[in-house]
């Protein structure tokens, strides 16, 4: 939420407000709408243009206070002007931690880290974000297990203590096993903050995450002397959570220099692979935008079976012969074998690479960003492109 000064009219826009001159709070990308997380970016299509009917509807919803902050539960303002990307902001005077740029960014990084930890610990479990607990109170992450629920939450130094006490009591009332994470401090600290003191009464071992270096720190305090009794540091790979919400060490080691060097090299490799994946997705996104524009006036309806040969993962791995160009669609959990492109052999090879990036982007969108009716419409566009764009030159032009 970029800072803005409230006039008392939710969602009011103007040149100063849209440019952030009168802003007063950090911009926020998402809000709770109809008990679900809703992202302001969904107001625009893949070409960056507003979906005007949806924009008008959501501006009206904003004026009726239908959007709320997932952290504090306060009403949010939808800002959807023509200068900045759409975003949400709190009303002036809010004391939510997300009104601070530093705290909002740290909160987002901690949420990503907790989500990574939850997925690695419980790969088959349903993991929900910002689940409503009671009133306006939400848990940042909730792991749904067959016989229990585990809540993962990050507690900022600036949290309102009353809210924290209410959340602790609510977890007990509902029988939810909480895992609390407190801020990571490079220099360390022996004295507890008030928030840490409240947490330590429920969870004697305080846990914090160094997101940059993918490390988890654990420390225990002596309640009488307020001194650290012991402190340990582990990489994400060394720990997992069990069904009681307790950490289980995969391997307890002393972090010597050689192992730290190995860890840094592994992290550098992971970062390189992630950057390469980001670039492939960007290439696919650009190709999709170009091809979607070309077919905008002649939308046709196709089903997957009309366009591609669909092969289950098990059948594909057992095959004894090679198909043509194929791609594993994680969103369908199957391989798609694509129809042959037209053109010379060199052109086809280059065009097939662009088509692969297009499918990688489409698969990512179908898995993570597209929901409900929007997901079906997006899939329809993807199938139309695969069916109707068979000339290698068209793919090469879209990928240039």
């Amino acid at each position: 939420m970029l800072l803005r000064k409230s006039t008392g009219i939710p969602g009011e826009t103007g040149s100063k407000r849209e440019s952030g001159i009168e802003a007063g709070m950090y911009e926020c990308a998402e809000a709770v709408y109809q008990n679900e997380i809703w992202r302001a970016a969904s107001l625009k299509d893949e070409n960056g243009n507003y979906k005007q009917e949806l924009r008008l509807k959501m501006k009206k919803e904003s004026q009726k206070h239908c959007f709320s902050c997932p952290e504090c539960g306060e009403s949010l303002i939808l800002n959807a002007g023509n200068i900045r990307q759409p975003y949400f902001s709190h009303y002036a005077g809010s004391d939510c931690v997300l009104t601070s740029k530093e705290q909002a960014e740290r909160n987002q990084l901690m949420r990503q880290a907790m989500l990574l930890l939850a997925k690695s610990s419980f790969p088959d479990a349903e993991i929900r974000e910002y689940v409503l607990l009671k009133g306006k109170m939400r848990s940042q992450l909730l792991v749904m297990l067959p016989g229990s629920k585990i809540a993962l939450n990050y507690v900022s130094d600036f949290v309102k203590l009353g809210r924290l006490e209410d959340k602790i009591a609510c977890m007990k009332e509902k029988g939810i096993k909480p895992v609390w994470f407190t801020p990571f401090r490079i220099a360390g600290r022996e004295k507890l903050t008030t928030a840490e003191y409240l947490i330590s009464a429920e969870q004697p071992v305080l846990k914090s995450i160094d997101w940059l270096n993918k490390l988890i720190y654990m420390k225990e305090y002596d309640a009488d002397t307020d001194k650290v009794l012991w402190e340990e540091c582990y990489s994400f790979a060394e720990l997992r959570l069990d069904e009681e919400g307790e950490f289980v060490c995969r391997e307890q080691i002393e972090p010597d220099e050689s192992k730290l060097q190995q860890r840094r090299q592994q992290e550098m490799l992971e970062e390189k692979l992630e950057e390469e994946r980001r670039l492939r997705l960007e290439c696919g996104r650009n190709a999709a935008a170009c091809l979607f524009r070309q077919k905008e006036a002649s939308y046709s309806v196709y089903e997957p079976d009309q366009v591609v040969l669909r092969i289950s993962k098990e059948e594909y791995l057992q095959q004894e012969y090679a198909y043509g160009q194929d791609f594993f669609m994680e969103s369908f959990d199957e391989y798609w074998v694509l129809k042959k492109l037209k053109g010379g052999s060199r052109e086809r090879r280059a065009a097939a690479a662009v088509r692969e990036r297009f499918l990688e982007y489409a698969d990512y969108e179908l898995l993570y960003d597209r929901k409900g009716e929007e997901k079906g419409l997006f899939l329809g566009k993807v199938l139309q492109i695969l069916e109707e764009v068979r000339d290698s030159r068209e793919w090469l032009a879209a990928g240039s």
Side-chain angles (χ1 to χ4, degrees), residues 43-92:
L43 286 175
K44 291 192 173 184
D45 60 23
E46 59 270 10
N47 299 319
N49 299 317
Y50 272 115
K51 304 169 190 175
Q52 293 296 353
E53 289 187 8
L54 180 62
R55 181 190 189 187
L56 176 60
K57 174 187 173 183
M58 292 308 185
K59 292 283 279 187
K60 289 179 179 178
E61 294 291 85
S62 176
Q63 292 175 357
K64 291 188 287 186
H65 300 271
C66 292
F67 297 109
S68 61
C69 174
E71 283 294 328
C72 69
E74 297 173 1
S75 292
L76 294 180
I77 306 164
L78 173 63
N79 302 271
N82 294 322
I83 298 176
R84 296 178 53 80
Q85 291 298 320
Y87 65 94
F88 293 100
S89 63
H90 284 77
Y91 284 91

Side-chain angles (χ1 to χ4, degrees), residues 99-116:
T99 59
S100 156
K101 181 178 186 295
E102 179 184 359
Q103 290 300 319
E105 290 177 346
R106 181 176 295 179
N107 188 285
Q108 183 181 21
L109 288 174
M110 291 299 295
R111 234 173 81 210
Q112 292 172 0
M114 292 189 300
L115 185 58
L116 178 63

Side-chain angles (χ1 to χ4, degrees), residues 7 14 66 75 80 108 118 129 132 225 231 250 252 300 328 400:
T7 61
C66 292
S75 292
Q108 183 181 21
E129 295 187 61
L132 185 64
T225 63
E231 181 176 3
R250 290 196 175 101
Q252 290 191 353
S300 303
F328 180 68
S400 61

Side-chain angles (χ1 to χ4, degrees), residues 157 185-194 196 219 221 226 228 231:
D157 284 339
R185 301 175 181 86
I186 296 176
R189 183 196 294 165
E190 292 191 348
K191 297 296 183 181
L192 290 171
T193 65
T194 309
E196 287 173 332
K219 61 179 71 174
Y221 288 83
D226 201 18
V228 176
E231 181 176 3

Side-chain angles (χ1 to χ4, degrees), residues 30-277:
E30 58 192 17
V32 175
Y33 175 66
Q34 295 183 350
N35 209 30
E36 298 286 341
I37 294 296
W38 193 83
R39 290 172 174 80
S42 60
L43 286 175
K44 291 192 173 184
D45 60 23
E46 59 270 10
N47 299 319
N49 299 317
Y50 272 115
K51 304 169 190 175
Q52 293 296 353
E53 289 187 8
L54 180 62
R55 181 190 189 187
L56 176 60
K57 174 187 173 183
M58 292 308 185
K59 292 283 279 187
K60 289 179 179 178
E61 294 291 85
S62 176
Q63 292 175 357
K64 291 188 287 186
H65 300 271
C66 292
F67 297 109
S68 61
C69 174
E71 283 294 328
C72 69
E74 297 173 1
S75 292
L76 294 180
I77 306 164
L78 173 63
N79 302 271
N82 294 322
I83 298 176
R84 296 178 53 80
Q85 291 298 320
Y87 65 94
F88 293 100
S89 63
H90 284 77
Y91 284 91
S94 171
D95 59 7
C96 179
V97 295
L98 296 190
T99 59
S100 156
K101 181 178 186 295
E102 179 184 359
Q103 290 300 319
E105 290 177 346
R106 181 176 295 179
N107 188 285
Q108 183 181 21
L109 288 174
M110 291 299 295
R111 234 173 81 210
Q112 292 172 0
M114 292 189 300
L115 185 58
L116 178 63
L117 176 63
K119 286 182 175 179
S120 64
S121 299
F122 309 103
D124 300 323
E126 180 185 359
I127 301 171
R128 301 177 185 174
E129 295 187 61
Y130 282 123
V131 177
L132 185 64
L133 298 175
K134 183 179 181 181
K136 295 182 177 180
M137 193 186 310
R138 295 178 180 271
S139 175
Q140 291 171 330
L141 290 180
L142 193 65
V143 181
M144 313 296 291
L145 299 173
S148 63
K149 297 177 183 177
I150 298 177
L152 281 67
N153 286 275
Y154 167 62
V155 181
S156 162
D157 284 339
F158 301 95
V159 68
K160 293 299 177 183
L161 299 177
R163 290 177 184 167
L164 178 56
E165 288 177 317
D166 290 344
K167 186 174 283 191
I168 290 173
C170 181
M171 299 282 188
K172 288 182 179 179
E173 177 186 329
K174 293 183 174 292
I176 297 173
K177 298 179 175 66
V179 182
W180 305 98
F181 290 94
T182 56
F184 166 71
R185 301 175 181 86
I186 296 176
R189 183 196 294 165
E190 292 191 348
K191 297 296 183 181
L192 290 171
T193 65
T194 309
E196 287 173 332
Y197 177 78
L198 283 176
I199 292 299
S200 65
E202 305 297 322
Q203 177 183 282
V205 178
L206 292 178
K207 305 172 178 70
S208 60
I209 295 177
D210 175 2
W211 168 250
L212 183 63
N213 296 305
K214 305 294 191 296
L215 299 173
I216 295 175
Y217 286 83
M218 293 187 285
K219 61 179 71 174
E220 185 174 3
Y221 288 83
D222 185 309
D224 297 325
T225 63
D226 201 18
K227 299 289 185 181
V228 176
L229 295 176
W230 62 267
E231 181 176 3
E232 295 288 347
C233 168
Y234 303 94
S235 70
F236 279 19
E238 293 173 308
L239 295 177
R240 66 175 177 84
L241 288 166
D242 64 16
E243 295 189 358
E244 297 300 315
E246 298 294 337
F247 273 122
V248 176
C249 298
R250 290 196 175 101
E251 182 184 4
Q252 290 191 353
I253 60 171
E254 291 295 326
D256 58 36
E257 188 57 36
S258 64
K259 291 180 178 177
L260 286 175
Q261 183 64 25
Q262 290 176 2
R263 187 180 300 160
R264 293 191 193 102
Q265 290 174 351
Q266 180 63 28
E267 289 170 358
M268 289 174 63
L269 177 60
E270 290 175 358
E271 289 172 3
K272 181 181 178 182
L273 293 174
E274 182 60 29
E275 178 62 14
E276 289 174 353
R277 181 169 180 267

